[in-house]
Amino acid sequence: MDQHQHLNKTAESESSEKKKTRRCNGFKMFLAALSFSYIAKALGGIIMKISITQIERRFDISSSLAGLIDGSFEIGNLLVIVFVSYFGSKLHRPKLIGIGCLLMGTGSILTALPHFFMGYYRYSKETHINPSENSTSSLSTCLINQTLSFNGTSPEIVEKDCVKESGSHMWIYVFMGNMLRGIGETPIVPLGISYIDDFAKEGHSSLYLGSLNAIGMIGPVIGFALGSLFAKMYVDIGYVDLSTIRITPKDSRWVGAWWLGFLVSGLFSIISSIPFFFVPQNPNKPQKERKNSLSLHVLKTNDDRNQTANLTNEGKNVTKNVTGFFQSLKSILTNPLYVIFLLLTLLQVSSFIGSFTYVFKYMEQQYGQSASHANFLLGIITIPTVATGMFLGGFIIKKFKLPLVGIAKFSFLTSMISFLFQLLYFPLICESKSVAGLTLTYDGNNSVASHVDVPLSYCNSECNCDESQWEPVCGNNGITYLSPCLAGCKSSSGIKKHTVFYNCSCVEVTGLQNRNYSAHLGECPRDNTCTRKFFIYVAIQIINSLFSATGGTTFILLTVKIVQPELKALAMGFHSMVIRTLGGILAPIYFGALIDKTCMKWSTNSCGAQGACRIYNSVFFGRVYLGLSIALRFPALVLYIVFIFAMKKKFQGKDTKASDNERKVMDEANLEFLNNGEHFVPSAGTDSKTCNLDMQDNAAAN
């Protein structure tokens, strides 16, 4: 008898160990797979953000249209967020996440596909025939008393080039690819966090979330590194002889190998999807038991019940749920604190999204930095400072045990400091470049009131130049000319990047004493004053990012604590929807539209249509870019003051000290803020009751 009992206990022990091992293996596999998916989504978001200027040039589109492409991620996200939120927890969550990663990867690859169908990139109107011709014959010089010629290119060839070049409309594939990426990314955060919350050991959820978000930061690190590397590579690398390319990475026409980044991130996302299809829906049950439970479920559903009564009850429940939803929505929208906080966060996030989308273009145009250098610097600045600010914000709140009103004041203080530092950017705006025909007369002696239709000067009026051409040369007087012809240059020597033009009559009349009237290819570099301003800009950017991240961690906690506990999920979901729609989608578009207004010289494609901007008025660009950001943040600060006074009135005399549960929410909010690879918009992983809502970031952007 004793031996029989001993055998039973041994069998039970072995069965228990097998269950634990099975649960451990399935859950660990899920954690590993989810870690890779976090890296993949952050990588995809950063790649899109750092490639947006390259895409703009490659497809010859305006900044506003590029902003629409950037916002398509949010459009895709919004299309399925309701489906994922409602049905996600009822279906096989790991497989749904796997399908999401597969779609995310497919979207990234679709984004890169136009590169393979558009033909060679033509950075100049004169490169119609052969992009790898090894001569300078395509560069027009001053041809006195000769008719204007386009290298003998026949109208038929130009028309064919026009049709082929109207890769013009190929940007739609980039739009659709980014939207598909948004659709695919939707289930990763909410379903991943809910799965962890359901099957992790008691009290271990926060640890797993912290590890996931820390691992997810690898994505932006890889993204910035790859972006910097690919931006140095010419777009048609592998297709043309690079020694024949006469532009450099600092040229406003340069397009790097943007498509490589999307291929890498797409393949990584697809690979990260594979493990999810082998993870059980419930790691606590063995496969046989899951099948048996499924069979029992089928038998139960076929039980002879009253089908009509069931349908009637379900209909009543649906009606009740819909009514309850609208009542709850009315409740949060009539909550003054919630509405004020929603508006101020919308303004702040819109400012951040718009600024971050075009910060690479700003650094290129304002300070003459190459895309590769801008990517590298921002990667070094953004990741460490945001991580430091995140944990610093959480530490301060926990250390001083700030009450809810105190947290609001802390958020206001950090926003105010960040706002003041942002004002310091204005003195760092560089003067517009000296460009003959745009900021100066062609003889270089006088400034012009407008860059539109600047008349030719006596030094180039007989040269029969194409005034729409953009082939900038830098005279040895420090002035940039739109083309060798418009500089009045009569001869040249050297090949491609090393071409030098001589006998430039417009350079001559500026009063040089050595009579060496020459010019070389490319725009003139920024002066030393502007270079010094750039280093100060970088230093302020670090401090600004630190304070923004320190205060940004409070958004989630304030959102869930100013509404009734049972409305937390709805409040977070509605907050996310408004931020995504009015911030994530619209901000890049109106930022881009206003930046377009500062353009002085547009490219012209073979069809004669307007393309991408070649050069901006630096002063106006800086004022518009920084001014729009300030214009959004200032009313947010005013609303913060109103919000704090309203909170004081509501919570006066009440104990508003942050409880242990609130601090737990704060910890997870900090970790989730780290996860935002594109826009650093708060997401839904902050509370187990809200994890079925997709509050993830755009991309790190998104």
Side-chain angles (χ1 to χ4, degrees):
M1 186 71 179
D2 290 340
Q3 187 178 0
H4 182 68
Q5 286 178 346
H6 177 71
L7 288 172
N8 283 342
K9 285 181 180 179
T10 305
E12 285 176 10
S13 176
E14 287 178 357
S15 174
S16 176
E17 283 179 11
K18 283 182 180 178
K19 280 186 178 180
K20 284 181 180 178
T21 304
R22 199 161 38 237
R23 173 181 175 178
C24 188
N25 289 341
F27 187 70
K28 281 184 176 178
M29 185 189 290
F30 178 80
L31 278 178
L34 194 62
S35 298
F36 278 106
S37 70
Y38 266 51
I39 295 171
K41 76 183 187 67
L43 174 61
I46 288 296
I47 289 292
M48 172 52 75
K49 283 295 180 188
I50 63 182
S51 302
I52 200 70
T53 303
Q54 310 284 319
I55 289 170
E56 181 182 327
R57 293 172 184 169
R58 181 64 183 96
F59 294 91
D60 248 350
I61 56 177
S62 63
S63 294
S64 55
L65 190 51
L68 176 63
I69 291 172
D70 182 66
S72 62
F73 173 88
E74 300 290 5
I75 296 172
N77 216 292
L78 287 169
L79 287 175
V80 294
I81 191 171
V82 174
F83 173 83
V84 169
S85 298
Y86 185 75
F87 294 103
S89 60
K90 303 181 182 183
L91 301 174
H92 197 299
R93 283 175 286 185
K95 285 185 179 178
L96 271 182
I97 296 172
I99 292 169
C101 290
L102 195 61
L103 287 175
M104 193 164 65
T106 306
S108 291
I109 291 173
L110 177 61
T111 301
L113 279 184
H115 167 76
F116 300 98
F117 304 115
M118 290 178 65
Y120 296 120
Y121 170 55
R122 297 188 176 100
Y123 49 82
S124 174
K125 283 173 61 179
E126 281 65 44
T127 53
H128 285 305
I129 310 299
N130 184 359
S132 59
E133 64 173 348
N134 194 19
S135 73
T136 58
S137 60
S138 63
L139 293 168
S140 60
T141 51
C142 181
L143 305 172
I144 298 175
N145 298 324
Q146 295 185 35
T147 55
L148 187 65
S149 169
F150 290 100
N151 302 322
T153 306
S154 68
E156 290 78 13
I157 293 176
V158 172
E159 187 175 349
K160 285 180 183 177
D161 283 341
C162 170
V163 173
K164 191 172 183 180
E165 188 179 333
S166 76
S168 45
H169 294 102
M170 295 288 278
W171 62 266
I172 293 172
Y173 290 97
V174 181
F175 179 92
M176 292 171 62
N178 198 36
M179 186 163 68
L180 188 60
R181 189 174 65 84
I183 291 172
E185 192 175 320
T186 307
I188 295 175
V189 172
L191 299 189
I193 292 173
S194 65
Y195 192 92
I196 290 171
D197 193 59
D198 287 346
F199 300 115
K201 289 181 182 178
E202 189 70 29
H204 283 58
S205 296
S206 296
L207 176 64
Y208 291 137
L209 285 175
S211 301
L212 275 173
N213 287 293
I215 292 169
M217 290 300 287
I218 297 172
V221 172
I222 297 172
F224 279 114
L226 289 178
S228 180
L229 176 65
F230 295 150
K232 291 179 185 176
M233 301 178 183
Y234 186 64
V235 61
D236 291 322
I237 187 170
Y239 296 93
V240 298
D241 181 1
L242 298 181
S243 65
T244 64
I245 304 301
R246 64 172 183 261
I247 59 174
T248 65
K250 286 197 172 184
D251 195 294
S252 63
R253 295 165 295 172
W254 177 269
V255 175
W258 61 275
W259 51 278
L260 275 174
F262 288 102
L263 287 182
V264 171
S265 66
L267 289 172
F268 190 87
S269 295
I270 290 172
I271 292 169
S272 73
S273 72
I274 296 172
F276 287 107
F277 295 101
F278 300 96
V279 175
Q281 183 174 6
N282 183 348
N284 297 336
K285 292 183 180 180
Q287 185 70 19
K288 193 178 288 185
E289 191 178 330
R290 288 197 297 272
K291 285 183 178 177
N292 290 340
S293 65
L294 183 62
S295 302
L296 287 171
H297 177 70
V298 172
L299 289 171
K300 283 180 182 177
T301 54
N302 291 330
D303 198 11
D304 50 349
R305 296 173 180 176
N306 191 331
Q307 298 284 338
T308 310
N310 282 345
L311 289 172
T312 305
N313 288 335
E314 285 177 12
K316 286 180 180 177
N317 287 337
V318 169
T319 306
K320 186 178 179 181
N321 286 339
V322 170
T323 305
F325 169 77
F326 284 110
Q327 286 176 346
S328 299
L329 186 62
K330 181 183 176 183
S331 178
I332 64 170
L333 292 179
T334 52
N335 181 339
L337 285 178
Y338 180 80
V339 173
I340 294 169
F341 192 68
L342 176 65
L343 290 175
L344 73 87
T345 49
L346 173 61
L347 291 169
Q348 284 195 314
V349 172
S350 296
S351 171
F352 175 79
I353 291 172
S355 298
F356 188 67
T357 301
Y358 297 103
V359 68
F360 304 96
K361 179 192 286 285
Y362 181 77
M363 290 174 71
E364 289 178 52
Q365 290 290 331
Q366 190 67 228
Y367 301 108
Q369 301 298 311
S370 66
S372 174
H373 195 213
N375 291 341
F376 178 74
L377 274 178
L378 281 174
I380 292 174
I381 293 168
T382 304
I383 298 170
T385 51
V386 166
T388 304
M390 271 278 320
F391 288 110
L392 184 62
F395 174 78
I396 291 172
I397 291 172
K398 287 186 73 174
K399 176 72 175 176
F400 296 99
K401 298 179 181 179
L402 296 177
L404 204 56
V405 176
I407 292 171
K409 289 178 180 179
F410 175 70
S411 183
F412 169 72
L413 178 65
T414 54
S415 296
M416 174 61 80
I417 294 172
S418 175
F419 176 81
L420 293 175
F421 273 106
Q422 195 158 9
L423 291 175
L424 297 178
Y425 290 144
F426 283 95
L428 300 178
I429 295 175
C430 293
E431 290 297 320
S432 293
K433 287 184 177 180
S434 298
V435 183
L438 294 178
T439 62
L440 300 172
T441 54
Y442 281 104
D443 59 17
N445 289 330
N446 302 297
S447 59
V448 294
S450 171
H451 63 271
V452 181
D453 297 327
V454 176
L456 295 174
S457 177
Y458 55 86
C459 63
N460 59 10
S461 58
E462 297 181 354
C463 290
N464 298 303
C465 302
D466 177 10
E467 294 180 54
S468 66
Q469 183 183 1
W470 176 258
E471 192 67 60
V473 292
C474 177
N476 57 359
N477 57 352
I479 296 175
T480 300
Y481 297 84
L482 303 182
S483 69
C485 181
L486 288 169
C489 301
K490 311 294 189 304
S491 60
S492 64
S493 66
I495 58 171
K496 298 304 173 183
K497 297 175 186 176
H498 306 293
T499 304
V500 179
F501 300 88
Y502 300 102
N503 301 319
C504 304
S505 54
C506 290
V507 177
E508 179 182 357
V509 295
T510 55
L512 285 175
Q513 300 300 316
N514 59 7
R515 304 187 64 79
N516 179 21
Y517 311 129
S518 63
H520 61 269
L521 273 179
E523 297 177 45
C524 295
R526 287 289 191 179
D527 57 22
N528 292 332
T529 304
C530 190
T531 304
R532 283 194 296 271
K533 286 183 177 180
F534 172 68
F535 291 122
I536 300 171
Y537 169 83
V538 170
I540 295 175
Q541 182 85 334
I542 293 171
I543 301 170
N544 193 14
S545 299
L546 179 68
F547 280 103
S548 295
T550 303
T553 59
T554 60
F555 284 176
I556 296 174
L557 183 59
L558 290 172
T559 302
V560 299
K561 287 302 172 185
I562 57 179
V563 296
Q564 297 95 313
E566 66 274 11
L567 298 178
K568 283 195 296 185
L570 180 62
M572 294 283 285
F574 187 78
H575 186 274
S576 176
M577 186 188 72
V578 172
I579 294 295
R580 287 181 179 279
T581 307
L582 302 181
I585 298 174
L586 293 184
I589 296 174
Y590 59 73
F591 263 81
L594 287 175
I595 288 171
D596 284 338
K597 299 291 183 185
T598 68
C599 182
M600 294 194 295
K601 181 72 175 177
W602 293 92
S603 68
T604 308
N605 60 27
S606 299
C607 306
Q610 176 182 296
C613 185
R614 295 305 188 204
I615 187 169
Y616 295 85
N617 184 311
S618 298
V619 176
F620 290 160
F621 186 2
R623 288 174 182 171
V624 165
Y625 174 76
L626 299 173
L628 183 54
S629 182
I630 291 294
L632 289 168
R633 296 187 69 173
F634 180 73
L637 291 175
V638 174
L639 286 173
Y640 251 124
I641 296 170
V642 176
F643 178 70
I644 290 168
F645 276 104
M647 282 189 75
K648 280 184 175 179
K649 188 175 181 181
K650 182 173 181 178
F651 295 111
Q652 193 172 12
K654 295 182 181 179
D655 182 17
T656 57
K657 286 279 182 183
S659 65
D660 291 339
N661 183 54
E662 287 172 347
R663 286 196 291 273
K664 181 184 175 184
V665 172
M666 191 66 224
D667 288 341
E668 295 180 359
N670 290 343
L671 296 169
E672 186 54 39
F673 191 78
L674 264 177
N675 179 46
N676 297 325
E678 283 192 52
H679 290 157
F680 301 106
V681 179
S683 76
T686 58
D687 189 33
S688 60
K689 294 180 181 178
T690 63
C691 57
N692 284 333
L693 289 168
D694 178 21
M695 299 289 298
Q696 59 178 322
D697 61 294
N698 177 22
N702 154 179

